[in-house]
Amino acid sequence: MKIALIGFGAMARYVVDQLANSRIEVAAIIVPEYQVAPLCDEFGKQFNFVTGVAEAGNDIGLFVDCAGHGALLQHGAQILRAGYDLLTVSIGALADAALLDKLDRAAAVGGGSIRLVSGAIGALDSLRAGRIGTLQAVRYIGRKPPQGWVGSQAEQVLDLGALTGAAQVHFRGTAREAALQYPKNANVAAAVALAGIGFDNTQVELLADPSVSRNIHEIEAEGDFGSFRFSIEGNPLPSNPRTSSLAAMSVIASINQYAERIKF
């Protein structure tokens, strides 16, 4: 199978490395025009860097978005309208109801589908199963060391550089509010919302915690099935401390699952 990647940051490079000796070929990598020349100078003819969907070729089996919300907005509808399937890590972007509707209509026209990567969190299969009955409540708690929130809305609430002692909450609200206010930090909250009871009914709490060194994600859910609490402490990618190792690994797992004839 041939795939096309969107973006060539730490996550995309991890994907390329992991697929190097597999039966899945990275046939094209879509990047902004200003990146093409430097990347070609760096990698020569090792990769096919292009600037748009049309240049990727007609035999692509799957497009894989590793570039963030802006890339999904720029390329997503075109990919789906052309009949291709799209795998994306940019789940938080779907909190924008207009974008979600645009992608849905493009998929209906072209016949492609958009597939969401689970990213840095687990237990989403339990949430999807639980909503077949009634989910009464779903809550996501995201806890990171203070430096993990640098560059986010948290800086408007807390002095991250001077934070010591107990964890400090810098956001409480719905998953939609979290995804829109924290576009680079709330993909997990969005994944939990879409797997469960939606953006407006999922409650989110975000904390800066000087006592932790890892990103900690927790899901609490109650419903007809009973209740569960799930927690994961994630290590970052060595090449980029802002990218979760598990999120990058989940991209590979999703690509492999797409290519397999027996799917879990």
Side-chain angles (χ1 to χ4, degrees):
M1 186 177 74
K2 292 184 178 182
I3 68 170
L5 293 179
I6 304 173
F8 202 55
M11 183 177 290
R13 294 183 189 216
Y14 177 88
V15 170
V16 168
D17 289 344
Q18 292 297 310
L19 295 179
N21 297 314
S22 75
R23 59 191 177 90
I24 298 170
E25 176 188 349
V26 179
I29 302 173
I30 301 173
V31 295
E33 187 172 358
Y34 73 88
Q35 291 184 4
V36 172
L39 287 172
C40 287
D41 288 342
E42 181 179 356
F43 293 97
K45 295 183 178 180
Q46 183 178 355
F47 302 116
N48 177 29
F49 293 106
V50 299
T51 60
V53 174
E55 301 170 68
N58 297 321
D59 55 351
I60 300 297
L62 179 69
F63 283 81
V64 181
D65 161 37
C66 295
H69 296 192
L72 182 61
L73 177 63
Q74 181 180 359
H75 301 294
Q78 183 182 356
I79 291 168
L80 296 169
R81 196 178 296 113
Y84 296 105
D85 290 338
L86 170 63
L87 187 71
T88 182
V89 299
S90 306
I91 302 176
L94 302 181
D96 181 342
L99 175 59
L100 181 60
D101 181 65
K102 179 180 180 180
L103 294 173
D104 184 60
R105 286 187 284 109
V109 169
S113 65
I114 183 166
R115 297 164 185 253
L116 310 181
V117 177
S118 58
I121 193 65
L124 299 184
D125 54 342
S126 296
L127 275 178
R128 285 193 296 268
R131 72 185 184 190
I132 300 301
T134 299
L135 280 170
Q136 278 92 36
V138 178
R139 182 174 177 234
Y140 164 69
I141 303 122
R143 186 186 305 265
K144 297 182 181 182
Q147 64 268 25
W149 297 108
V150 171
S152 77
Q153 185 70 18
E155 291 183 312
Q156 307 302 314
V157 182
L158 302 172
D159 184 353
L160 297 173
L163 202 61
T164 59
Q168 298 292 315
V169 176
H170 54 84
F171 174 86
R172 282 192 182 97
T174 67
R176 188 180 304 279
E177 292 166 337
L180 294 176
Q181 292 182 37
Y182 292 78
K184 294 183 179 180
N185 301 89
N187 280 331
V188 173
V192 171
L194 287 167
I197 54 178
F199 280 103
D200 297 314
N201 294 315
T202 302
Q203 296 302 304
V204 173
E205 189 173 288
L206 304 177
L207 301 92
D209 189 343
S211 70
V212 303
S213 58
R214 294 174 171 176
N215 295 344
I216 301 175
H217 307 284
E218 299 176 36
I219 305 174
E220 299 172 351
E222 297 179 10
D224 290 348
F225 69 92
S227 65
F228 75 78
R229 180 170 183 168
F230 179 88
S231 178
I232 185 167
E233 298 184 18
N235 289 325
L237 275 179
S239 59
N240 186 346
R242 294 195 178 190
T243 300
S244 162
S245 290
L246 187 60
M249 293 171 183
S250 74
V251 176
I252 297 295
S254 296
I255 293 170
N256 287 338
Q257 184 186 51
Y258 186 87
E260 289 167 357
R261 286 182 289 274
I262 301 174
K263 302 181 187 294
F264 184 76

